[in-house]
Amino acid sequence: YDDILIDIKVHKLWKKRSEKLIWAIYVWILHLLKLYLRPEDFKYTSMYGDYREVYSDKFDSQTEEEQTKLFHTANWMVIFFQLVPPMHNKIMAINVVPKFLEGWE
């Protein structure tokens, strides 16, 4: 991703600005990345292959729609944590990635 990413240190603004503004910036960044990423760029390329091997029977009680959302969330969390260090940013991640995938509301 180094060829398409600009060295943006938005996460350093976390403590200085509104957290919702920072979340919105990262949602926008993820939307831009979505334009350039190919399926093979994601950690889990198939919901029924490597993803199921890792998460095995943990989500079998969920509907197919919910399992699909969880699959996409897992992939985009990996992408997000390549942009932002996981330490001290997990709350931001669990707010940004779902807003990116499912909408702000």
Side-chain angles (χ1 to χ4, degrees), residues 20-35:
K20 289 187 179 182
L21 173 63
I22 303 304
W23 296 350
I25 291 169
Y26 273 111
V27 167
W28 178 74
I29 290 169
L30 291 177
H31 276 288
L32 289 176
L33 283 175
K34 187 177 181 181
L35 299 173

Side-chain angles (χ1 to χ4, degrees), residues 65-91:
E65 179 182 355
E66 190 64 25
Q67 288 183 27
T68 302
K69 287 179 183 179
L70 291 167
F71 167 73
H72 291 299
T73 299
N75 273 325
W76 282 101
M77 282 288 185
V78 172
I79 300 295
F80 185 77
F81 283 129
Q82 290 177 358
L83 299 172
V84 178
M87 186 176 235
H88 305 297
N89 289 308
K90 291 179 185 82
I91 291 173

Side-chain angles (χ1 to χ4, degrees), residues 4-16:
I4 59 172
L5 291 181
I6 300 172
D7 188 20
I8 300 173
K9 300 295 182 190
V10 178
H11 64 277
K12 290 188 178 184
L13 298 173
W14 175 254
K15 294 182 173 127
K16 298 178 184 176

